[in-house]
Amino acid sequence: MIHRIKKIIALLLCLLLSAALTPNVYADTNGSEILIADGPDKLILQLGSQWAGVEFELRTDSGVFPVPVVVDASGVLKMDLGGSKNYTLSCLASSTPIPEQSSEAPAPAPNTPPVSGGESADPAASGIPAGHLILFLAGLAAAAGGLFALRYFKRRRDTYGYDEDEDDYE
């Protein structure tokens, strides 16, 4: 009986010591933290080669983008986005003439073929990273094995009649 009380007191002292040595962590929220945008990170507009060199002005929630956005030689307008909810793209009076509207509908851009094996070219679209999945499954297997071992040793103790009170050597 005294042996059991000593074990309980030792366990309580260990818990008290571990709680006393745990440092407090405070978050510094002064507004200079990195903000992660909820929206798209990249905008790609395929306007056609007749739009090459045309300049656009970008307006965001925080104001006008400092430099004009120019369509490249292949007719694609590319830009990185983030930090705003609304984006307005306006055509500027640039040195390159703006193409006239034609009655023909523009040809749709061809889709990029998938990477070998049918996987998407975007790694974020593939789902859960393999390392995280393996770590999760290993933890799940260890937890299941631990529960199985606890049940096995409890049944063994109940079957063979092991009891801590019989082992007191005082």
Side-chain angles (χ1 to χ4, degrees):
M1 184 70 177
I2 293 176
H3 185 64
R4 184 179 227 174
I5 292 174
K6 287 181 182 179
K7 283 184 181 180
I8 291 173
I9 290 174
L11 179 65
L12 289 174
L13 285 174
C14 288
L15 287 174
L16 182 65
L17 183 63
S18 66
L21 295 178
T22 305
N24 292 331
V25 178
Y26 298 103
D28 181 19
T29 55
N30 60 2
S32 63
E33 303 84 28
I34 297 174
L35 300 175
I36 298 175
D38 293 338
D41 293 329
K42 186 173 277 259
L43 173 68
I44 300 174
L45 295 174
Q46 297 177 346
L47 299 172
S49 58
Q50 67 270 19
W51 286 86
V54 177
E55 297 177 346
F56 288 89
E57 175 185 69
L58 176 67
R59 291 181 187 264
T60 64
D61 296 338
S62 59
V64 179
F65 196 69
V67 289
V69 181
V70 181
V71 180
D72 66 8
S74 63
V76 177
L77 182 124
K78 295 180 183 178
M79 56 191 299
D80 292 331
L81 301 176
S84 289
K85 296 279 186 200
N86 298 315
Y87 299 93
T88 305
L89 201 59
S90 303
C91 187
L92 294 176
S94 63
S95 58
T96 307
I98 299 170
E100 302 233 352
Q101 286 280 43
S102 65
S103 60
E104 297 178 9
N111 293 335
T112 57
V115 182
S116 64
E119 298 173 356
S120 172
D122 184 16
S126 65
I128 303 170
H132 293 168
L133 185 61
I134 291 171
L135 183 64
F136 172 74
L137 292 176
L140 189 63
L147 288 173
F148 178 75
L150 286 173
R151 184 173 178 173
Y152 172 76
F153 286 119
K154 182 178 185 295
R155 281 193 175 177
R156 184 175 171 193
R157 186 187 68 200
D158 291 343
T159 303
Y160 294 113
Y162 294 130
D163 195 6
E164 290 180 8
D165 291 337
E166 296 174 2
D167 294 336
D168 287 340
Y169 299 107
E170 295 181 23

